[in-house]
Amino acid sequence: MTDAQRKLSATEVAEAGLTGWRQAGETLVATFRTRKFSTGLELVNRIGASAEEANHHPDLTLTYPEVGVTLSSHDVGGITSRDIDLARTISGHAADLGVATAE
């Protein structure tokens, strides 16, 4: 998964082993149960900083008590290694904050 411009197959996405993420069509989706709005806001801020650094921006929904994240590489019309990498980073931020996915 080294070509950031290559759309990944469903098998490649599954083989990435992303815990708490699921493929929905041409996107990766996860919901993080933050339990508190302030924790959700902190997670969104961390995601935003990482997204800016990677120049790859997810769709985010902040509600009480969850943060919804949708990743897709719009330029290729599907999931790429950029999405896998950012999903791992986002999961790391959630783990640091003690936040679990809503699997």
Side-chain angles (χ1 to χ4, degrees):
M1 286 190 267
T2 58
D3 182 358
Q5 294 297 113
R6 186 177 66 80
K7 186 173 160 180
L8 301 177
S9 68
T11 300
E12 289 172 310
V13 171
E15 288 173 351
L18 297 172
T19 302
W21 293 83
R22 65 180 173 80
Q23 185 170 356
E26 299 296 331
T27 66
L28 283 175
V29 178
T31 302
F32 297 90
R33 294 193 191 251
T34 57
R35 298 183 311 272
K36 294 185 347 186
F37 188 80
S38 59
T39 304
L41 186 57
E42 177 62 26
L43 180 58
V44 166
N45 285 331
R46 290 182 184 197
I47 292 169
S50 293
E52 282 298 307
E53 185 177 308
N55 193 29
H56 190 57
H57 304 95
D59 293 328
L60 302 173
T61 305
L62 170 61
T63 62
Y64 172 78
E66 299 176 336
V67 173
V69 183
T70 302
L71 292 166
S72 182
S73 294
H74 303 288
D75 56 341
V76 299
I79 300 166
T80 67
S81 62
R82 291 174 287 167
D83 301 298
I84 300 295
D85 292 343
L86 190 53
R88 286 188 176 121
T89 298
I90 291 168
S91 291
H93 291 319
D96 290 346
L97 292 169
V99 173
T101 57
E103 298 184 67

